[in-house]
Amino acid sequence: MRLNPESIARASSRHPWRTFGAWLVILVGSFTLVSAGLFNDALTNGIDFTNNPESKEAAQLVEDRLRGGPEPDTELVLVTSETATVDDPAFAEYVGAIQAEVDALDDSVVTHVGSYLTEDGQVSEDGDSALLPVLMTHTDEDVLSDDAVDLEEAVRSVEAPEGFETYLVGPATVFNEFQEVIEEDIAKGETIGVVVALVVLLVVLGAVVAGIVPILLAAFAIGTAMGLTALAGLVFEFSFFVQNMITMVGLAVGIDYSLFIIARYREERLHGRDKLEAIAHAGGTASRAVFFSGMTVVIALLGLLIVPTTIFGALAAGAIFVVIGAVAAAMTLLPALLAVLGDKVNALRVRRNAGRVEAGTGFWDWASRLVMRRPVVSLLAAGGLMVVLALPYFSIHTGTSGVSTLPDDIEAKQAFVLLEDNFAGGLTDPAQVVIDGDIASPEVQAAIAELESTVGADDRFGPPGELLPNEARDLALLPIPFSGDIYEDASIAGLRDLRDEYVPDAFTGVDAEVLVGGETAFNVDFFDLADTYTPIVFAFVLGLSFLLLTVVFRSIVLPVKAIILNLLSVGAAYGLVVAFFQQGVGPGFVKDIADALNFQQVESIEAWIPLFLFAILFGLSMDYHVFLLTRIRERFDFTRDNAGSVAYGLRSTGGLITGCALIMVAVFAGFAAGRLAPMQQLGFGLAVAVFLDATIVRSILVPSSMKLLGNLNWYLPKWLEWLPQLRVEGHEAEQVAEPAEPAEPEREPVTAGEAR
């Protein structure tokens, strides 16, 4: 038996219970891995480089030659009072009680706890707030997450006097609160996405059973991806955003892929094929299209693996896992379900003509006539609109928002605001100037003094901390705190000046290597890395996509056009994200809409969003392109009539593609309704791009451009005729004999059965 989508569909439908058994094993295995905690153990709030930028090199020097290990995490307990100052006995008594409870924790949790009672520099200027720095023992982020919970319990065990407030803030605490918000947002996004998807499925498919099946298969894909992520987590770490990614992408593609196959199966049944033959022919057409669509998504995501940072690799891997799971479920589990259900897939109808396919009437017939009649006007109007929507992108400012974008009711956010108001904003994470050289030499000492003097005159920095040399005095760390939020533009610019001007000026001619590390330096390296690798990823994804589409459709014109149109969708999405989220860019009415949707206005679009958005969108956009071109190519191979085939493809898939797009929009919009700014930006960008792609691009730009290009659409140079035959439409075009349709379609239903 040849292994292809049709043979897989035949095998699955003839042995449905074996197929169910195999998928049950997969699902139980995934559930076991997740319930055993392996999925959560695989998650991290950290981002790391897989190459060696300056910030990582500086951290490694400190770890190897100064601290003798990873830098311990410091959590802060912030005590503030509306009724007392640190000089009051009540304040000292309360802080002392907290200090005693924290100090009583096991040494495996907390190494040291300080406070203003025993250390200097822990009191705000007005004296109504004090800090207790808590040095945690473990450096492993997963263990720290649990230790932060123990710390919070110890702090909360001391009852606060009236008028006192106590907050916790630090990397582990923030991670735990991020996790909590993410879980709430996932639940909210899933609910919105599933409910709206079910409504759309009922409208498109017209029956309750047919509407539930795609959601069921999406759940299988998500469960499979969770298990694969948990398994991969034994070796790799995944960003905690991977949960959102798996659920969001899994619902979108899992439902869409199943919807296309179910629609084709029902169409084949209406054309007179028996149940198993209808499943097989749906496998030879729709399943084949699903396979190649999934491969385009995977190719686009593979481009992110080029970027040497863990967040891109982790998010891409999670999305790839769920796409593979969705394709596998659609190609195997769905045929088995259809074999068992048969025509009962149309049970519990909500409209009388459920399951009927009429390709010559209704809105899409009218739309195809309009677009095909005036292709130049359609192309210019739709293309011009997409370009206008993309214009705000040229004002994009990328960066990161950090804790400041957490919801206002989150304790870490409240503590952060208080720290920024009452203490040095960068107190917990200063710039770390690492000096590798003879620290005792007069030249190095003079350079350090000059650097401290220069930094002291820059109001973006606080007073430099104490110089920390190692025992050999051949390496030293000079901490330089920021005066504001370490994530804001002023701190980023200050860090760049520190690296590019202050350090080189101070250490010119000095025999020492100086590196600048710390959290802000890490972010700057990440921004630079994203900028550097963006064109590389674009070239990789576009190049591989071109090759795949050239082989699949045996044309070099269609791939070029597909890439251009998909880039229009991506550009429009970029522009709208910038207009809706970046402060001072969008017009007033856009900001009013953003406020009504509770979108956060930020200084910077998250630096990883554009690149990741491109990879996801390019892959998803190709889904619709492949599905539409499948029907066009299938028709063209029989009729050799380009205009008629384009019109037929548009009106026979327009309703289905629009329904799929609405489902994706609903799923992505559900996640955009969450409370985290990065996920709002990502969800919104995906939602608007898919909507524009399925309406303007697929319904107007594709048919109008194909009408204008004529038979040139199918041009393949003779020197490329050696390419393998990987036809998306399978054998269907060879067996289905339908009369050719004119470019201006007649108003009668067209079915494949008429030709037979």
Side-chain angles (χ1 to χ4, degrees):
M1 179 184 72
R2 289 190 306 166
L3 191 62
N4 57 51
E6 181 178 348
S7 64
I8 292 172
R10 286 185 185 275
S12 299
S13 62
R14 289 174 179 171
H15 306 284
W17 298 107
R18 294 181 188 176
T19 306
F20 294 155
W23 274 98
L24 183 62
V25 170
I26 292 172
L27 203 62
V28 169
S30 296
F31 178 79
T32 301
L33 291 171
V34 173
S35 61
L38 293 181
F39 183 81
N40 286 333
D41 290 345
L43 303 183
T44 177
N45 66 329
I47 300 173
D48 196 10
F49 296 102
T50 54
N51 61 352
N52 200 34
E54 183 173 341
S55 59
K56 185 173 181 178
E57 189 177 349
Q60 194 65 50
L61 281 174
V62 171
E63 180 178 330
D64 292 343
R65 294 167 55 191
L66 178 62
R67 294 197 175 98
E71 181 179 4
D73 172 38
T74 299
E75 301 292 307
L76 295 176
V77 180
L78 171 61
V79 180
T80 183
S81 175
E82 297 177 352
T83 59
T85 66
V86 295
D87 296 326
D88 294 329
F91 202 113
E93 181 180 356
Y94 176 52
V95 170
I98 293 176
Q99 189 175 16
E101 285 294 327
V102 174
D103 201 37
L105 289 170
D106 192 272
D107 290 344
S108 63
V109 176
V110 171
T111 300
H112 171 74
V113 55
S115 83
Y116 78 100
L117 298 173
T118 56
E119 299 176 9
D120 296 330
Q122 311 297 339
V123 178
S124 62
E125 290 184 4
D126 54 13
D128 64 357
S129 301
L131 292 175
L132 285 79
V134 180
L135 189 65
M136 309 298 287
T137 302
H138 291 108
T139 56
D140 181 83
E141 291 169 345
D142 296 328
V143 179
L144 270 173
S145 180
D146 295 332
D147 290 350
V149 174
D150 294 337
L151 173 63
E152 182 176 12
E153 291 175 353
V155 172
R156 300 302 176 204
S157 68
V158 181
E159 184 177 354
E162 185 176 352
F164 283 76
E165 294 287 346
T166 305
Y167 305 89
L168 280 88
V169 66
T173 301
V174 170
F175 172 66
N176 288 344
E177 298 203 342
F178 260 105
Q179 282 283 83
E180 184 178 341
V181 174
I182 283 176
E183 290 172 2
E184 294 172 359
D185 287 353
I186 287 177
K188 182 179 181 180
E190 286 176 341
T191 301
I192 295 173
V194 169
V195 170
V196 176
L198 184 56
V199 171
V200 174
L201 287 168
L202 291 178
V203 172
V204 173
L205 296 174
V208 173
V209 173
I212 291 175
V213 169
I215 295 177
L216 178 64
L217 264 74
F220 269 80
I222 292 170
T224 301
M226 291 285 193
L228 289 173
T229 303
L231 201 59
L234 296 173
V235 181
F236 306 103
E237 289 185 326
F238 291 84
S239 165
F240 56 87
F241 282 125
V242 77
Q243 301 173 85
N244 301 66
M245 201 57 51
I246 288 175
T247 306
M248 184 168 58
V249 175
L251 282 173
V253 300
I255 291 173
D256 272 15
Y257 292 165
S258 301
L259 176 56
F260 276 103
I261 294 174
I262 291 172
R264 189 60 185 251
Y265 162 76
R266 295 163 79 185
E267 182 180 341
E268 295 298 335
R269 289 289 288 146
L270 287 171
H271 293 167
R273 298 189 190 278
D274 65 38
K275 180 177 67 177
L276 293 183
E277 278 302 304
I279 293 172
H281 279 261
T285 54
S287 292
R288 191 180 293 262
V290 162
F291 174 78
F292 284 110
S293 296
M295 292 308 98
T296 60
V297 178
V298 170
I299 284 173
L301 291 167
L302 284 175
L304 294 178
L305 300 180
I306 298 173
V307 186
T309 179
T310 56
I311 186 170
F312 284 118
L315 293 179
I320 288 172
F321 288 156
V322 81
V323 170
I324 291 174
V327 170
M331 294 178 65
T332 58
L333 181 58
L334 182 54
L337 280 172
L338 292 175
V340 172
L341 290 173
D343 290 335
K344 290 181 182 178
V345 75
N346 297 321
L348 303 177
R349 296 172 184 257
V350 295
R351 56 181 173 85
R352 293 179 58 186
N353 64 340
R356 298 201 62 81
V357 179
E358 295 184 332
T361 62
F363 170 79
W364 292 106
D365 173 55
W366 171 84
S368 67
R369 287 173 177 270
L370 179 63
V371 172
M372 300 292 285
R373 188 180 298 119
R374 297 180 177 85
V376 175
V377 174
S378 300
L379 184 67
L380 292 177
L385 175 61
M386 297 294 282
V387 171
V388 168
L389 293 177
L391 290 178
Y393 169 69
F394 295 99
S395 301
I396 192 172
H397 178 63
T398 56
T400 187
S401 303
V403 182
S404 62
T405 61
L406 281 171
D408 291 338
D409 61 338
I410 299 297
E411 182 177 305
K413 167 71 172 291
Q414 297 168 356
F416 175 80
V417 172
L418 289 170
L419 278 173
E420 190 172 21
D421 291 342
N422 297 302
F423 299 88
L427 181 64
T428 58
D429 218 319
Q432 297 183 346
V433 179
V434 181
I435 305 151
D436 185 4
D438 184 1
I439 304 302
S441 71
E443 294 83 1
V444 171
Q445 288 294 318
I448 293 173
E450 181 181 343
L451 178 62
E452 290 176 331
S453 175
T454 303
V455 168
D458 190 331
D459 58 9
R460 294 172 298 186
F461 298 99
E466 180 184 356
L467 185 70
L468 304 173
N470 63 359
E471 290 185 5
R473 300 190 69 80
D474 60 0
L475 184 87
L477 170 63
L478 178 66
I480 302 178
F482 296 92
S483 58
D485 181 357
I486 65 171
Y487 299 103
E488 68 185 8
D489 287 349
S491 297
I492 297 295
L495 191 285
R496 290 191 183 277
D497 287 343
L498 182 62
R499 276 183 171 177
D500 299 338
E501 297 180 23
Y502 300 167
V503 167
D505 290 348
F507 283 85
T508 298
V510 177
D511 185 19
E513 180 184 11
V514 183
L515 303 172
V516 180
E519 179 71 15
T520 307
F522 182 96
N523 288 331
V524 168
D525 288 338
F526 182 83
F527 304 155
D528 293 343
L529 180 142
D531 290 341
T532 299
Y533 278 86
T534 292
I536 299 173
V537 173
F538 269 59
F540 176 86
V541 172
L542 298 181
L544 279 187
S545 298
F546 174 81
L547 292 175
L548 178 64
L549 292 177
T550 298
V551 172
V552 167
F553 290 108
R554 298 192 67 75
S555 164
I556 62 170
V557 176
L558 288 180
V560 171
K561 183 169 61 64
I563 287 171
I564 293 173
L565 295 182
N566 285 346
L567 289 177
L568 278 178
S569 296
V570 173
Y574 282 173
L576 288 171
V577 167
V578 173
F580 273 79
F581 290 93
Q582 188 173 309
Q583 294 172 352
V585 175
F589 73 92
V590 170
K591 296 305 181 187
D592 292 338
I593 297 173
D595 290 340
L597 295 173
N598 293 319
F599 289 161
Q600 294 190 50
Q601 299 297 297
V602 294
E603 281 187 344
S604 308
I605 303 300
E606 293 295 317
W608 59 272
I609 291 287
L611 194 53
F612 195 78
L613 199 61
F614 162 74
I616 293 286
L617 283 180
F618 192 85
L620 295 180
S621 296
M622 278 298 183
D623 274 357
Y624 299 139
H625 209 90
V626 169
F627 287 128
L628 175 57
L629 290 182
T630 295
R631 300 309 293 265
I632 294 174
R633 180 78 205 207
E634 181 180 334
R635 189 70 170 175
F636 179 79
D637 279 351
F638 177 73
T639 67
R640 314 309 294 181
D641 176 7
N642 176 73
S645 299
V646 172
Y648 174 80
L650 175 60
R651 66 181 188 271
S652 62
T653 63
L656 199 59
I657 286 177
T658 302
C660 289
L662 288 176
I663 292 170
M664 278 200 180
V665 169
V667 171
F668 296 145
F671 287 91
R675 295 184 291 166
L676 293 179
M679 297 314 298
Q680 287 183 347
Q681 295 167 20
L682 183 62
F684 175 78
L686 290 170
V688 297
V690 168
F691 176 78
L692 292 172
D693 191 80
T695 53
I696 295 176
V697 174
R698 303 299 154 224
S699 304
I700 302 176
L701 290 176
V702 170
S704 60
S705 60
M706 292 190 74
K707 173 66 181 296
L708 290 172
L709 289 170
N711 287 340
L712 188 62
N713 285 298
W714 316 104
Y715 172 69
L716 182 72
K718 289 185 178 180
W719 57 273
L720 288 178
E721 289 181 356
W722 58 269
L723 290 174
Q725 297 272 351
L726 295 178
R727 307 296 286 270
V728 175
E729 64 277 5
H731 61 69
E732 197 67 4
E734 301 168 8
Q735 294 187 4
V736 176
E738 292 186 321
E741 286 189 4
E744 297 290 291
E746 314 237 2
R747 296 188 65 85
E748 292 104 56
V750 178
T751 67
E754 293 174 4
R756 286 189 289 271

